[in-house]
Amino acid sequence: QVQLVESGGGLVQPGGSLRLSCEASGDIFGIRSMTWYRQVPGKQRDLVARLESGIATYYAGSVKGRFTISKDYAKNTAYLQMNSLKPEDTAVYSCSISTWDRREYWGQGTQVTVSS
């Protein structure tokens, strides 16, 4: 059984940095994309960053230039480096991994709070 576990969230001051990790356990074959999302209570879940086929990347406009998505396929782990954090980045961040055979796996999320 595949499980995704996010870590690295917490409380940080504006302008600070955090690095989120999304580690997959179990057997995952043929990873197509790794995606980070975030959600604020009462609002829809937004795509933050996506790594497609290990090469192509996509970033939401609000995080472009501040966030970086990366991966370590050997460890089945995706990362999200978040710099220059702003209060509006406060949310629950979750990751998803999709495979070429159309399987999709989700983590439970990790809270990121940006506040002074």
Side-chain angles (χ1 to χ4, degrees):
Q1 184 176 358
V2 174
Q3 290 186 324
L4 303 186
V5 178
E6 298 97 337
S7 62
L11 174 63
V12 62
Q13 292 186 342
S17 297
L18 284 174
R19 187 193 194 204
L20 305 184
S21 298
C22 172
E23 183 176 1
S25 60
D27 295 326
I28 297 182
F29 300 101
I31 293 177
R32 174 177 179 176
S33 65
M34 295 175 148
T35 308
W36 284 97
Y37 295 87
R38 67 186 181 187
Q39 187 169 23
V40 176
K43 294 189 177 181
Q44 69 176 17
R45 183 173 58 204
D46 293 325
L47 190 154
V48 175
R50 170 170 287 160
L51 183 62
E52 189 85 26
S53 301
I55 301 175
T57 57
Y58 167 83
Y59 294 96
S62 59
V63 307
K64 194 172 294 184
R66 299 188 297 122
F67 291 11
T68 303
I69 187 171
S70 61
K71 49 71 178 171
D72 184 337
Y73 281 160
K75 297 180 179 180
N76 278 345
T77 300
Y79 303 97
L80 185 68
Q81 178 66 44
M82 306 186 296
N83 299 328
S84 302
L85 283 162
K86 304 175 181 180
E88 51 263 42
D89 293 319
T90 296
V92 174
Y93 286 71
S94 56
C95 66
S96 170
I97 293 179
S98 299
T99 62
W100 288 103
D101 62 354
R102 300 185 180 185
R103 297 174 189 265
E104 191 165 21
Y105 305 96
W106 287 86
Q108 293 298 311
T110 184
Q111 176 70 45
V112 171
T113 302
V114 185
S115 175
S116 56

